[in-house]
Amino acid sequence: MTPRVQIVGREFRLVLGRAVIWALILAATIGGRAGSSLAAQTAAPAQATQSAPLAPPTPPTPPTPPTQPTPPTSSTSSTSSTSSTSYSAAALYNLGNAFARAGKPGPAVLNYERALLLDPGDPDIQANLRHVREAAGLAPASPSRFDRIATIAGPRICAWVGLLGLLVTGLSLVARQRYSGHRRKLSGAALVGILLMGTTLCNAIALWPTLHAAVVIAPSAAVRVAPVPNEEPSFVLPEAELVTVTAEHEGFVLIHTKSGRAGWAPEANLALVVPKH
Amino acid sequence: MTIGVFSLTAAAIAIAPAAAANNTSATPAIGVTSSALDATIEPQQISLGESARLTIVTSGSGTLSVPLPVVAGLEFRVVGEKRLVQMIHGAAIETTSIIVRVTPDSTGTFTIPGFTPKAPPLVLRVTPGDGAGASSAPDDEALLGRSALTPGTTNANGIRLTADGSAFVRLSTPKHEIYVGESIPVEIQVGMREGFAVSVNGLPKLNSGDFTLNNLSRQPERVEKSIDGKPFTVITWRSLLSAIKPGSYSLTFEAPVTVRIRTRPQRETMLDDLLGDPFMQNVFGATVQKELQVTSPEAAFTVLALPTEGRPADFGGAVGSFKVTTDVSSATITAGDPVTLRMHVNGAGNFDRVSSTMLGGDGEWKTYEPKASFNSPDPTGFRGEKIFEQPLIPAHSGAQTIPPIPFSYFDPGTHRYETARSAPLTVAVLPSAADSTASAPAPTADSTGKPIDAMHGGLRPDHAVSDAAVSNLVPLYLQPRFVALSSALALLFFGGWLALRRRERGATDTHTRAASRMAESFLDRMSAASAAGDAALFFNTARAAIQQVLSARQRIPPEQITAAEVDAQLGADAADIRQIFALADEANYAGRALQPADFERWTQIVRRQLMSTTTS
């Protein structure tokens, strides 16, 4: 290799390193704000969960065995609490356990589903959700292989992985344009970045149905053909049933069951897994 | 091809039977073109006060005089003539129909002799009638065009026309002996004669409380049919008919139809007789539209009760002919995971009564309520496939067998109960890590000292809340700020990439322009040296130009371009370039005279090298 090429390679590494550092600093600055001050929340998780209405009233101290959380006195508290400021997978899981012990499978399943959104790989959440659904007489959920693989990591991790993929891809493509002598290596790096972004996309595809799902929190929910209260129900949804919501109209929501049935159910009888802000 | 020519007789011919009997030699005749002759009378039975229509059909060429028959008690009146010309293989065949109204003046059986020696006689029966029918069905109705279809009577095909001959409702069933609960496919046809019936104003209605009609097709079939030579539009609905209770019952169907009826009174029918065809009558405004309820002939059914003897315990009311198969969603699963058992019931019958509890809890499998779905290519749902899906969870790992699933039904073909069974299935159940974790001793205990799992039916214990909290359950990558950040980064990178690309292109253009100017300069100097005949200056300039070219390619100083470098870089052109270098040295030190053609040749070689550099 000629001295000229050595100079170019050294310059390339220097520029690339500086670009990565600046990009990470920029991402951390903006992304930290976007992620609701992730670092600050990580430093004080107990405070965050304690202030949330969804969190158990008596949050356990991490080193000691957890105490039994007390469920809210009514199911509406579980839905109204969705406007809270923070959610924790463990707190939601504990709240689901509390509702399950209180014999309220609907709010229990709702909180388990929310906990799974934050920590999809937790076997305890999966086991208790399956247990409560079985106890309520509902068929256990059977996710597809794609869903299982795509949700191995939580959406938060997938978000950062995707951002890293975007950085790697962008920097590689820019450097590939600047330093033509390293095109093959930089193309490989861009491909790796695209794969990282693909994992985020797969996670989003797998979680998309859950983002529009709702759980029946009332003992039963009558489903009608039209969104009017005085019409005869066409069928009844059992408590803890998971349905997909596609529209809403004056206190009613249009739901679709997994078996393909559809109709309008009272909005008060259901709670969205991902509440609207 | 058929060409219809309709002509109306200018004057009717009326013959009083008595007068005809007195003067048989002077029997009036009708002139027809004929080589073959046929005659029919419709209907063959009428009430007193009604008229029948005698149609004399001739075909072929030539003219034949046919005398009108003379029968005591019958009045014959020619009211119209219809002529058809058919072109068959280029030959025109003419058919003429003479329409004669036959009016009895007494009851009884009348025999009209055949019109040819070999033709059988025609028989007309005249019944007393009820008077009302005669007044409501004037003689003109006999002229509306009916042959074997007789208004008010049911023919062999189960068709009964309305009194004015405009429409009918017909029920078609495969059998008339059915079992309670059995579904049989039926066809309900509403026929409307063109020009008489206008429209069907609703769905056909079942007139019986002993039967039910299910799955009436929403899109009926509409076909144009010729029934007994008359054009009809037939609308067909398909449905399933079921009987409610045993016994002997009959049913009818009725449909609302709008028809055209005639408005002229009996005494003013002369014009109608002259007009003859209903189309012509409509043109002259002789009809109005009216809604009628057209009813089908009564269909009798014998409804049998399902036998109690030999009835299986799991019989759920399915009647028909069915086959059963089963399969599973996966032949290999992990312990604790559900597997879906599917039972396919194929066949024909009352699928609304096809049900199954599928697999019951037997200790080996935890079972759930099955769900059913029905697929049918048949719009009535008589044939198809009903699929039951039941989630199962194995209780143990290893090779687990799903036992045969029975399905009992009553087969009306064999008149006995049948039980179809599926084949047993085997599912490999692998042990899972989660199961081992779940089966581990309860890690915590509550304040009373009882294990948590024992208290709460298998719930796993609470977690210590040590994870990070988030303000929004929407995944971070879907939150607006994160999307904005990602978009900004993507735009940033794209902008950088675009800027670099533009800069590189700009640098390339600059280099190209500089190289072009340099090439022009060298070539000008070589041209001047050539004009002056200075070989030394020419080759020195040529060598300098080549050195600049190779220097630009290799990014090394021009003075370092040697003959070895020329060999390495130029390949096929190396010989010429190396010779330029040699000639330059020779011209410098030994002097050399060149011909103008030589100057031109070397100039072309150098120009090619310079151009290749500037274009690259």
Side-chain angles (χ1 to χ4, degrees), chain A residues 152-178:
Chain A
I152 285 177
R156 176 163 288 271
I157 294 175
C158 285
W160 292 113
V161 167
L163 187 66
L164 178 64
L166 177 64
L167 285 173
V168 171
T169 304
L171 289 173
S172 302
L173 292 178
V174 169
R176 185 176 177 272
Q177 191 67 28
R178 176 68 179 84

Side-chain angles (χ1 to χ4, degrees), chain A residues 41 69 87-88 93 97 131 134 203, chain B residues 368 457 461-462 467 469-470 477:
Chain A
Q41 287 175 4
Y87 299 92
S88 157
Y93 167 75
N97 284 351
H131 175 79
E134 287 177 6
N203 187 266
Chain B
Y368 295 88
D462 289 350
D467 55 346
V470 296
Y477 48 71

Side-chain angles (χ1 to χ4, degrees), chain A residues 22-237:
Chain A
W22 276 109
L24 288 176
I25 290 171
L26 181 65
T29 305
I30 306 174
R33 292 177 184 173
S36 303
S37 305
L38 175 63
Q41 287 175 4
T42 309
Q47 183 183 356
T49 51
Q50 211 166 11
S51 62
L54 274 181
T58 55
T61 309
T64 59
T67 57
Q68 300 292 315
T70 306
T73 53
S74 67
S75 60
T76 54
S77 62
S78 69
T79 54
S80 61
S81 62
T82 55
S83 61
S84 61
T85 54
S86 62
Y87 299 92
S88 157
L92 289 167
Y93 167 75
N94 293 347
L95 195 58
N97 284 351
F99 276 116
R101 293 185 189 105
K104 296 181 177 179
V109 167
L110 173 67
N111 285 285
Y112 287 143
E113 291 284 354
R114 289 175 172 173
L116 274 180
L117 262 183
L118 299 177
D119 192 359
D122 191 320
D124 287 348
I125 303 174
Q126 294 173 351
N128 282 6
L129 173 61
R130 187 165 58 212
H131 175 79
V132 171
R133 285 183 62 88
E134 287 177 6
L138 300 170
S142 53
S144 65
R145 181 173 296 177
F146 171 79
D147 289 346
R148 288 178 185 173
I149 295 173
T151 55
I152 285 177
R156 176 163 288 271
I157 294 175
C158 285
W160 292 113
V161 167
L163 187 66
L164 178 64
L166 177 64
L167 285 173
V168 171
T169 304
L171 289 173
S172 302
L173 292 178
V174 169
R176 185 176 177 272
Q177 191 67 28
R178 176 68 179 84
Y179 306 103
S180 56
H182 298 76
R183 290 205 163 192
R184 185 168 296 179
K185 292 177 185 173
L186 291 169
S187 297
L191 186 63
V192 170
I194 290 172
L195 289 177
L196 292 177
M197 287 192 288
T199 59
T200 308
L201 181 64
C202 291
N203 187 266
I205 292 172
L207 288 183
W208 191 259
T210 309
L211 301 180
H212 300 86
V215 178
V216 179
I217 56 173
S220 66
V223 182
R224 297 172 169 83
V225 175
V228 287
N230 55 355
E231 188 175 339
E232 283 294 316
S234 55
F235 63 97
V236 176
L237 288 172

Side-chain angles (χ1 to χ4, degrees), chain B residues 46-67:
Chain B
I46 59 174
S47 299
L48 187 61
E50 295 178 347
S51 295
R53 185 177 67 172
L54 175 65
T55 306
I56 304 167
V57 181
T58 64
S59 60
S61 59
T63 302
L64 179 65
S65 178
V66 179

